[in-house]
PDB file of all heavy atoms in Angstrom:
ATOM      1  N   GLN A 337     -75.033  17.492  47.085  1.00  0.00           N
ATOM      2  CA  GLN A 337     -75.248  16.366  46.174  1.00  0.00           C
ATOM      3  C   GLN A 337     -74.018  15.467  46.124  1.00  0.00           C
ATOM      4  O   GLN A 337     -74.121  14.245  45.999  1.00  0.00           O
ATOM      5  CB  GLN A 337     -75.556  16.913  44.780  1.00  0.00           C
ATOM      6  CG  GLN A 337     -75.876  15.856  43.738  1.00  0.00           C
ATOM      7  CD  GLN A 337     -76.055  16.467  42.360  1.00  0.00           C
ATOM      8  OE1 GLN A 337     -75.161  17.119  41.838  1.00  0.00           O
ATOM      9  NE2 GLN A 337     -77.229  16.280  41.788  1.00  0.00           N
ATOM     10  N   GLY A 338     -72.837  16.072  46.231  1.00  0.00           N
ATOM     11  CA  GLY A 338     -71.602  15.308  46.158  1.00  0.00           C
ATOM     12  C   GLY A 338     -71.453  14.277  47.254  1.00  0.00           C
ATOM     13  O   GLY A 338     -70.720  13.297  47.086  1.00  0.00           O
ATOM     14  N   ALA A 339     -72.134  14.465  48.388  1.00  0.00           N
ATOM     15  CA  ALA A 339     -72.059  13.469  49.464  1.00  0.00           C
ATOM     16  C   ALA A 339     -72.638  12.145  49.020  1.00  0.00           C
ATOM     17  O   ALA A 339     -72.258  11.087  49.533  1.00  0.00           O
ATOM     18  CB  ALA A 339     -72.799  13.969  50.699  1.00  0.00           C
ATOM     19  N   GLY A 340     -73.557  12.196  48.058  1.00  0.00           N
ATOM     20  CA  GLY A 340     -74.127  10.966  47.529  1.00  0.00           C
ATOM     21  C   GLY A 340     -73.447  10.490  46.263  1.00  0.00           C
ATOM     22  O   GLY A 340     -73.189   9.297  46.099  1.00  0.00           O
ATOM     23  N   SER A 341     -73.104  11.441  45.367  1.00  0.00           N
ATOM     24  CA  SER A 341     -72.556  11.047  44.067  1.00  0.00           C
ATOM     25  C   SER A 341     -71.054  10.826  44.086  1.00  0.00           C
ATOM     26  O   SER A 341     -70.531  10.027  43.303  1.00  0.00           O
ATOM     27  CB  SER A 341     -72.908  12.101  43.011  1.00  0.00           C
ATOM     28  OG  SER A 341     -72.315  13.350  43.317  1.00  0.00           O
ATOM     29  N   ARG A 342     -70.336  11.533  44.982  1.00  0.00           N
ATOM     30  CA  ARG A 342     -68.871  11.422  45.046  1.00  0.00           C
ATOM     31  C   ARG A 342     -68.406  11.505  46.497  1.00  0.00           C
ATOM     32  O   ARG A 342     -67.655  12.427  46.875  1.00  0.00           O
ATOM     33  CB  ARG A 342     -68.215  12.519  44.208  1.00  0.00           C
ATOM     34  CG  ARG A 342     -68.602  12.465  42.729  1.00  0.00           C
ATOM     35  CD  ARG A 342     -68.049  13.635  41.953  1.00  0.00           C
ATOM     36  NE  ARG A 342     -68.644  13.717  40.645  1.00  0.00           N
ATOM     37  CZ  ARG A 342     -68.060  13.324  39.498  1.00  0.00           C
ATOM     38  NH1 ARG A 342     -66.845  12.825  39.519  1.00  0.00           N
ATOM     39  NH2 ARG A 342     -68.693  13.438  38.341  1.00  0.00           N
ATOM     40  N   PRO A 343     -68.828  10.564  47.348  1.00  0.00           N
ATOM     41  CA  PRO A 343     -68.503  10.659  48.769  1.00  0.00           C
ATOM     42  C   PRO A 343     -67.014  10.589  49.054  1.00  0.00           C
ATOM     43  O   PRO A 343     -66.559  11.084  50.093  1.00  0.00           O
ATOM     44  CB  PRO A 343     -69.247   9.469  49.382  1.00  0.00           C
ATOM     45  CG  PRO A 343     -69.448   8.514  48.242  1.00  0.00           C
ATOM     46  CD  PRO A 343     -69.635   9.377  47.037  1.00  0.00           C
ATOM     47  N   GLU A 344     -66.239  10.000  48.136  1.00  0.00           N
ATOM     48  CA  GLU A 344     -64.805   9.916  48.356  1.00  0.00           C
ATOM     49  C   GLU A 344     -64.148  11.288  48.255  1.00  0.00           C
ATOM     50  O   GLU A 344     -63.055  11.515  48.801  1.00  0.00           O
ATOM     51  CB  GLU A 344     -64.163   8.942  47.356  1.00  0.00           C
ATOM     52  CG  GLU A 344     -64.105   9.405  45.901  1.00  0.00           C
ATOM     53  CD  GLU A 344     -65.450   9.372  45.165  1.00  0.00           C
ATOM     54  OE1 GLU A 344     -66.432   8.875  45.741  1.00  0.00           O
ATOM     55  OE2 GLU A 344     -65.494   9.849  44.019  1.00  0.00           O
ATOM     56  N   VAL A 345     -64.789  12.214  47.566  1.00  0.00           N
ATOM     57  CA  VAL A 345     -64.279  13.583  47.440  1.00  0.00           C
ATOM     58  C   VAL A 345     -64.957  14.498  48.452  1.00  0.00           C
ATOM     59  O   VAL A 345     -64.304  15.287  49.134  1.00  0.00           O
ATOM     60  CB  VAL A 345     -64.494  14.116  46.008  1.00  0.00           C
ATOM     61  CG1 VAL A 345     -64.083  15.584  45.919  1.00  0.00           C
ATOM     62  CG2 VAL A 345     -63.724  13.281  45.005  1.00  0.00           C
ATOM     63  N   TYR A 346     -66.286  14.378  48.553  1.00  0.00           N
ATOM     64  CA  TYR A 346     -67.059  15.245  49.452  1.00  0.00           C
ATOM     65  C   TYR A 346     -67.193  14.572  50.820  1.00  0.00           C
ATOM     66  O   TYR A 346     -68.281  14.271  51.291  1.00  0.00           O
ATOM     67  CB  TYR A 346     -68.418  15.561  48.825  1.00  0.00           C
ATOM     68  CG  TYR A 346     -68.294  16.486  47.638  1.00  0.00           C
ATOM     69  CD1 TYR A 346     -67.982  16.001  46.376  1.00  0.00           C
ATOM     70  CD2 TYR A 346     -68.442  17.861  47.796  1.00  0.00           C
ATOM     71  CE1 TYR A 346     -67.839  16.852  45.289  1.00  0.00           C
ATOM     72  CE2 TYR A 346     -68.307  18.724  46.728  1.00  0.00           C
ATOM     73  CZ  TYR A 346     -68.002  18.216  45.475  1.00  0.00           C
ATOM     74  OH  TYR A 346     -67.853  19.075  44.406  1.00  0.00           O
ATOM     75  N   ARG A 347     -66.040  14.348  51.441  1.00  0.00           N
ATOM     76  CA  ARG A 347     -66.015  13.617  52.708  1.00  0.00           C
ATOM     77  C   ARG A 347     -66.607  14.432  53.851  1.00  0.00           C
ATOM     78  O   ARG A 347     -67.200  13.872  54.767  1.00  0.00           O
ATOM     79  CB  ARG A 347     -64.572  13.230  53.038  1.00  0.00           C
ATOM     80  CG  ARG A 347     -63.976  12.227  52.037  1.00  0.00           C
ATOM     81  CD  ARG A 347     -62.532  11.927  52.345  1.00  0.00           C
ATOM     82  NE  ARG A 347     -61.965  10.993  51.374  1.00  0.00           N
ATOM     83  CZ  ARG A 347     -60.694  10.651  51.330  1.00  0.00           C
ATOM     84  NH1 ARG A 347     -59.847  11.161  52.217  1.00  0.00           N
ATOM     85  NH2 ARG A 347     -60.259   9.804  50.422  1.00  0.00           N
ATOM     86  N   HIS A 348     -66.444  15.746  53.802  1.00  0.00           N
ATOM     87  CA  HIS A 348     -66.911  16.587  54.895  1.00  0.00           C
ATOM     88  C   HIS A 348     -68.433  16.528  55.027  1.00  0.00           C
ATOM     89  O   HIS A 348     -68.954  16.235  56.110  1.00  0.00           O
ATOM     90  CB  HIS A 348     -66.418  18.017  54.672  1.00  0.00           C
ATOM     91  CG  HIS A 348     -66.363  18.825  55.926  1.00  0.00           C
ATOM     92  ND1 HIS A 348     -66.340  20.201  55.916  1.00  0.00           N
ATOM     93  CD2 HIS A 348     -66.332  18.481  57.240  1.00  0.00           C
ATOM     94  CE1 HIS A 348     -66.284  20.660  57.139  1.00  0.00           C
ATOM     95  NE2 HIS A 348     -66.283  19.637  57.967  1.00  0.00           N
ATOM     96  N   PRO A 349     -69.194  16.797  53.957  1.00  0.00           N
ATOM     97  CA  PRO A 349     -70.652  16.654  54.098  1.00  0.00           C
ATOM     98  C   PRO A 349     -71.083  15.229  54.404  1.00  0.00           C
ATOM     99  O   PRO A 349     -72.046  15.011  55.146  1.00  0.00           O
ATOM    100  CB  PRO A 349     -71.205  17.147  52.761  1.00  0.00           C
ATOM    101  CG  PRO A 349     -70.056  17.193  51.835  1.00  0.00           C
ATOM    102  CD  PRO A 349     -68.837  17.377  52.651  1.00  0.00           C
ATOM    103  N   ALA A 350     -70.371  14.237  53.856  1.00  0.00           N
ATOM    104  CA  ALA A 350     -70.719  12.847  54.164  1.00  0.00           C
ATOM    105  C   ALA A 350     -70.523  12.557  55.651  1.00  0.00           C
ATOM    106  O   ALA A 350     -71.325  11.831  56.263  1.00  0.00           O
ATOM    107  CB  ALA A 350     -69.869  11.898  53.319  1.00  0.00           C
ATOM    108  N   LEU A 351     -69.486  13.139  56.253  1.00  0.00           N
ATOM    109  CA  LEU A 351     -69.244  12.976  57.692  1.00  0.00           C
ATOM    110  C   LEU A 351     -70.382  13.596  58.502  1.00  0.00           C
ATOM    111  O   LEU A 351     -70.865  13.001  59.478  1.00  0.00           O
ATOM    112  CB  LEU A 351     -67.912  13.621  58.064  1.00  0.00           C
ATOM    113  CG  LEU A 351     -67.499  13.580  59.536  1.00  0.00           C
ATOM    114  CD1 LEU A 351     -67.235  12.143  59.975  1.00  0.00           C
ATOM    115  CD2 LEU A 351     -66.246  14.435  59.760  1.00  0.00           C
ATOM    116  N   PHE A 352     -70.829  14.773  58.104  1.00  0.00           N
ATOM    117  CA  PHE A 352     -71.948  15.418  58.792  1.00  0.00           C
ATOM    118  C   PHE A 352     -73.223  14.598  58.645  1.00  0.00           C
ATOM    119  O   PHE A 352     -73.994  14.459  59.605  1.00  0.00           O
ATOM    120  CB  PHE A 352     -72.156  16.837  58.258  1.00  0.00           C
ATOM    121  CG  PHE A 352     -71.377  17.885  58.996  1.00  0.00           C
ATOM    122  CD1 PHE A 352     -70.002  18.004  58.830  1.00  0.00           C
ATOM    123  CD2 PHE A 352     -72.011  18.759  59.859  1.00  0.00           C
ATOM    124  CE1 PHE A 352     -69.273  18.973  59.503  1.00  0.00           C
ATOM    125  CE2 PHE A 352     -71.297  19.728  60.541  1.00  0.00           C
ATOM    126  CZ  PHE A 352     -69.919  19.837  60.370  1.00  0.00           C
ATOM    127  N   GLU A 353     -73.454  14.073  57.460  1.00  0.00           N
ATOM    128  CA  GLU A 353     -74.654  13.246  57.262  1.00  0.00           C
ATOM    129  C   GLU A 353     -74.651  12.052  58.208  1.00  0.00           C
ATOM    130  O   GLU A 353     -75.670  11.725  58.825  1.00  0.00           O
ATOM    131  CB  GLU A 353     -74.736  12.774  55.811  1.00  0.00           C
ATOM    132  CG  GLU A 353     -75.099  13.875  54.825  1.00  0.00           C
ATOM    133  CD  GLU A 353     -75.445  13.320  53.456  1.00  0.00           C
ATOM    134  OE1 GLU A 353     -75.583  12.070  53.327  1.00  0.00           O
ATOM    135  OE2 GLU A 353     -75.588  14.117  52.508  1.00  0.00           O
ATOM    136  N   ARG A 354     -73.523  11.396  58.313  1.00  0.00           N
ATOM    137  CA  ARG A 354     -73.433  10.226  59.189  1.00  0.00           C
ATOM    138  C   ARG A 354     -73.685  10.623  60.645  1.00  0.00           C
ATOM    139  O   ARG A 354     -74.415   9.935  61.373  1.00  0.00           O
ATOM    140  CB  ARG A 354     -72.063   9.570  59.038  1.00  0.00           C
ATOM    141  CG  ARG A 354     -71.905   8.270  59.812  1.00  0.00           C
ATOM    142  CD  ARG A 354     -70.756   7.439  59.267  1.00  0.00           C
ATOM    143  NE  ARG A 354     -69.492   8.149  59.298  1.00  0.00           N
ATOM    144  CZ  ARG A 354     -68.853   8.589  58.206  1.00  0.00           C
ATOM    145  NH1 ARG A 354     -69.387   8.399  57.008  1.00  0.00           N
ATOM    146  NH2 ARG A 354     -67.695   9.211  58.312  1.00  0.00           N
ATOM    147  N   ALA A 355     -73.115  11.739  61.071  1.00  0.00           N
ATOM    148  CA  ALA A 355     -73.307  12.188  62.450  1.00  0.00           C
ATOM    149  C   ALA A 355     -74.765  12.529  62.725  1.00  0.00           C
ATOM    150  O   ALA A 355     -75.299  12.201  63.797  1.00  0.00           O
ATOM    151  CB  ALA A 355     -72.417  13.395  62.728  1.00  0.00           C
ATOM    152  N   VAL A 356     -75.427  13.169  61.787  1.00  0.00           N
ATOM    153  CA  VAL A 356     -76.836  13.517  61.967  1.00  0.00           C
ATOM    154  C   VAL A 356     -77.697  12.266  62.050  1.00  0.00           C
ATOM    155  O   VAL A 356     -78.610  12.174  62.881  1.00  0.00           O
ATOM    156  CB  VAL A 356     -77.298  14.454  60.827  1.00  0.00           C
ATOM    157  CG1 VAL A 356     -78.813  14.551  60.772  1.00  0.00           C
ATOM    158  CG2 VAL A 356     -76.691  15.840  61.005  1.00  0.00           C
ATOM    159  N   ARG A 357     -77.404  11.296  61.213  1.00  0.00           N
ATOM    160  CA  ARG A 357     -78.174  10.040  61.247  1.00  0.00           C
ATOM    161  C   ARG A 357     -78.002   9.325  62.586  1.00  0.00           C
ATOM    162  O   ARG A 357     -78.910   8.620  63.032  1.00  0.00           O
ATOM    163  CB  ARG A 357     -77.740   9.124  60.102  1.00  0.00           C
ATOM    164  CG  ARG A 357     -78.167   9.615  58.725  1.00  0.00           C
ATOM    165  CD  ARG A 357     -77.939   8.542  57.663  1.00  0.00           C
ATOM    166  NE  ARG A 357     -78.429   8.979  56.374  1.00  0.00           N
ATOM    167  CZ  ARG A 357     -77.675   9.466  55.405  1.00  0.00           C
ATOM    168  NH1 ARG A 357     -76.363   9.589  55.595  1.00  0.00           N
ATOM    169  NH2 ARG A 357     -78.203   9.844  54.260  1.00  0.00           N
ATOM    170  N   GLU A 358     -76.848   9.491  63.204  1.00  0.00           N
ATOM    171  CA  GLU A 358     -76.563   8.811  64.460  1.00  0.00           C
ATOM    172  C   GLU A 358     -76.981   9.627  65.686  1.00  0.00           C
ATOM    173  O   GLU A 358     -76.806   9.184  66.823  1.00  0.00           O
ATOM    174  CB  GLU A 358     -75.060   8.513  64.555  1.00  0.00           C
ATOM    175  CG  GLU A 358     -74.565   7.517  63.505  1.00  0.00           C
ATOM    176  CD  GLU A 358     -73.048   7.428  63.453  1.00  0.00           C
ATOM    177  OE1 GLU A 358     -72.376   8.233  64.149  1.00  0.00           O
ATOM    178  OE2 GLU A 358     -72.537   6.573  62.697  1.00  0.00           O
ATOM    179  N   SER A 359     -77.535  10.824  65.472  1.00  0.00           N
ATOM    180  CA  SER A 359     -77.778  11.754  66.567  1.00  0.00           C
ATOM    181  C   SER A 359     -78.952  11.379  67.463  1.00  0.00           C
ATOM    182  O   SER A 359     -79.038  11.834  68.600  1.00  0.00           O
ATOM    183  CB  SER A 359     -78.017  13.160  66.006  1.00  0.00           C
ATOM    184  OG  SER A 359     -79.264  13.206  65.301  1.00  0.00           O
ATOM    185  N   GLY A 360     -79.879  10.593  66.941  1.00  0.00           N
ATOM    186  CA  GLY A 360     -81.076  10.257  67.699  1.00  0.00           C
ATOM    187  C   GLY A 360     -82.222  11.226  67.490  1.00  0.00           C
ATOM    188  O   GLY A 360     -83.350  10.969  67.912  1.00  0.00           O
ATOM    189  N   ALA A 361     -81.965  12.358  66.823  1.00  0.00           N
ATOM    190  CA  ALA A 361     -83.026  13.322  66.524  1.00  0.00           C
ATOM    191  C   ALA A 361     -83.736  12.919  65.239  1.00  0.00           C
ATOM    192  O   ALA A 361     -83.189  12.173  64.413  1.00  0.00           O
ATOM    193  CB  ALA A 361     -82.427  14.716  66.367  1.00  0.00           C
ATOM    194  N   ASP A 362     -84.960  13.425  65.048  1.00  0.00           N
ATOM    195  CA  ASP A 362     -85.580  13.345  63.733  1.00  0.00           C
ATOM    196  C   ASP A 362     -84.748  14.211  62.793  1.00  0.00           C
ATOM    197  O   ASP A 362     -84.447  15.368  63.105  1.00  0.00           O
ATOM    198  CB  ASP A 362     -87.013  13.881  63.771  1.00  0.00           C
ATOM    199  CG  ASP A 362     -87.973  12.927  64.452  1.00  0.00           C
ATOM    200  OD1 ASP A 362     -87.605  11.745  64.639  1.00  0.00           O
ATOM    201  OD2 ASP A 362     -89.076  13.358  64.815  1.00  0.00           O
TER     202      ASP A 362
END
Side-chain angles (χ1 to χ4, degrees):
Q337 183 185 58
S341 63
R342 300 174 192 258
E344 71 286 354
V345 175
Y346 289 83
R347 294 177 181 174
H348 202 200
L351 179 66
F352 270 74
E353 288 192 10
R354 185 160 58 250
V356 165
R357 290 191 176 100
E358 295 170 354
S359 69
D362 286 345

